[in-house]
């Protein structure tokens, strides 16, 4: 799905009120029944087939149905994001070098009604119909590359959080807006009456090796989702921000709650 400039600009002019946000110390995949963000590479899958094990690669290892995106999806452009549904089949733990397989996800963990399971294929069909897990792949701008170029140009060390990196905020805002315009809340949330799919679970998107500042990236995501909620009445209604223990965004949800009490709008974020 793509972000239309006219829709984004119209939403900015409308200046909607900020959406509710909850901070979580759990990983994104723990928020079952919500729409989970894949911190994607522009070419979805990243280094999955090369043995890497960071957020995107771990999500694909847990939900191997997503492997089809590696062959099906072309490189995403700045105003584009991808939506997909997949089943969790593997339990894992750790991150990067500590990443390891734990166990498979038993079918009995997913089937609410033991009846009607019949044989294996019927069981799988029942599982997929009853428990789709939704994912949205969106790629942040790699600020670490821009920072290295800036340092070479200036001839002194500098920082990955240089003020000039804010020039990529519009690009990432458009990316989040495109992601939040996903049809998943309408298809899985409204039609199946599963309210969790109106929640977008995300976290320190574009941080880590991409060099983004966690507070800035959390703010960009909240702004983009809020703007999309105005343009898409059947879209996301709230956000879960998984802080992964980072003290800079550990209380982001509380800060948003204060802004909501003050009646702040999206212009306050931008």
């Amino acid at each position: 799905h793509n972000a239309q400039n006219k829709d984004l600009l119209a939403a900015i002019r409308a200046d909607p009120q900020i959406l509710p946000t909850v901070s979580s110390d759990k990983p994104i995949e723990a928020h079952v029944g919500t729409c989970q963000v894949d911190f994607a590479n522009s070419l979805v899958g990243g280094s999955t087939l090369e043995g890497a094990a960071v957020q995107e690669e771990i999500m694909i290892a847990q939900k191997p149905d997503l492997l089809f995106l590696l062959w099906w999806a072309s490189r995403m452009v700045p105003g584009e994001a991808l939506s997909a549904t997949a089943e969790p089949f593997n339990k894992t733990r750790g991150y990067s070098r500590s990443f390891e397989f734990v166990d498979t996800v038993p079918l009995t963990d997913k089937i609410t009604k033991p009846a009607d399971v019949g044989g294996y294929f019927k069981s799988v069909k029942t599982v997929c119909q009853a428990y789709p897990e939704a994912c949205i792949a969106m790629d942040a701008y790699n600020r670490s590359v821009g920072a290295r170029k800036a340092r070479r140009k200036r001839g002194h060390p500098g920082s990955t959080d240089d003020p000039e990196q804010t020039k990529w905020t519009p690009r990432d805002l458009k990316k989040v807006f495109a992601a939040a315009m996903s049809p998943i809340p309408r298809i899985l949330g409204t039609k199946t009456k599963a309210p969790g799919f109106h929640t977008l679970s995300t976290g320190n998107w574009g941080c880590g090796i991409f060099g983004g500042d966690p507070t800035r990236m959390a703010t960009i995501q909240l702004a983009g989702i809020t703007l999309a909620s105005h343009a898409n009445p059947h879209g996301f209604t709230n956000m879960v921000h998984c802080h992964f223990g980072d003290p800079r965004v550990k209380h982001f949800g509380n800060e948003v709650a204060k802004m909501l009490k003050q009646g702040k709008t999206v212009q306050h974020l931008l």
Side-chain angles (χ1 to χ4, degrees):
H1 30 99
N2 295 288
Q4 301 297 324
N5 286 330
K6 60 181 180 63
D7 294 333
L8 178 57
L9 292 174
I12 292 174
R13 285 194 293 268
D15 196 19
Q17 188 174 19
I18 298 169
L19 290 185
T21 300
V22 176
S23 291
S24 173
D25 58 359
K26 297 179 181 179
I28 293 173
E29 62 270 17
H31 296 276
V32 178
T34 67
C35 188
Q36 302 171 3
V37 173
D38 167 14
F39 299 174
N41 188 284
S42 58
L43 195 59
V44 178
S47 300
T48 297
L49 301 182
E50 299 173 12
V54 289
Q55 198 268 355
E56 179 173 37
E57 291 82 2
I58 291 174
M59 178 175 282
I60 293 175
Q62 294 170 342
K63 304 177 180 69
D65 288 348
L66 294 174
L67 281 167
F68 86 95
L69 291 173
L70 276 67
W71 290 274
W72 175 80
S74 57
R75 188 178 295 276
M76 290 186 286
V77 297
E80 186 176 54
L82 290 171
S83 296
T85 58
E87 286 302 307
F89 280 96
N90 299 311
K91 294 180 180 179
T92 67
R93 64 179 169 224
Y95 186 86
S96 189
R97 294 185 179 181
S98 65
F99 177 72
E100 61 181 355
F101 171 79
V102 175
D103 198 358
T104 56
V105 178
L107 286 176
T108 52
D109 284 1
K110 306 176 188 178
I111 299 176
T112 55
K113 297 181 180 179
D116 301 327
V117 294
Y120 173 77
F121 291 103
K122 195 171 182 181
S123 298
V124 173
K125 183 178 180 181
T126 303
V127 169
C128 292
Q129 288 177 341
Y131 283 84
E133 286 209 0
C135 307
I136 294 182
M138 61 182 193
D139 58 300
Y141 175 75
N142 191 340
R143 285 166 168 76
S144 62
V145 173
R148 285 195 296 269
K149 291 180 179 178
R151 288 196 295 269
R152 286 196 297 268
K153 184 177 180 180
R154 291 196 304 267
H156 63 83
S159 166
T160 57
D161 194 31
D162 286 327
E164 69 179 56
Q165 296 305 306
T166 59
K167 68 183 180 183
W168 298 109
T169 294
R171 181 267 183 204
D172 283 345
L173 180 66
K174 187 175 182 180
K175 175 67 67 171
V176 177
F177 181 80
M181 290 295 285
S182 167
I184 283 176
R186 175 178 57 83
I187 296 173
L188 296 181
T190 303
K191 291 187 177 181
T192 65
K193 297 182 180 180
F197 289 115
H198 287 280
T199 297
L200 188 64
S201 295
T202 184
N204 298 337
W205 175 66
C207 304
I209 61 172
F210 272 28
D213 174 73
T215 302
R216 177 186 300 161
M217 300 308 289
T219 302
I220 290 173
Q221 290 181 90
L222 178 57
I225 297 168
T226 298
L227 292 170
S229 71
H230 173 81
N232 179 15
H234 300 289
F236 295 106
T237 57
N238 57 86
M239 183 176 92
V240 173
H241 184 270
C242 304
H243 54 70
F244 301 101
D246 192 311
R248 292 170 290 183
V249 285
K250 194 171 184 178
H251 304 292
F252 183 71
N254 293 336
E255 295 301 318
V256 174
K258 292 178 183 177
M259 289 189 282
L260 282 170
K261 288 184 178 179
Q262 297 167 359
K264 299 292 185 181
T265 62
V266 75
Q267 290 290 351
H268 180 77
L269 301 175
L270 299 176

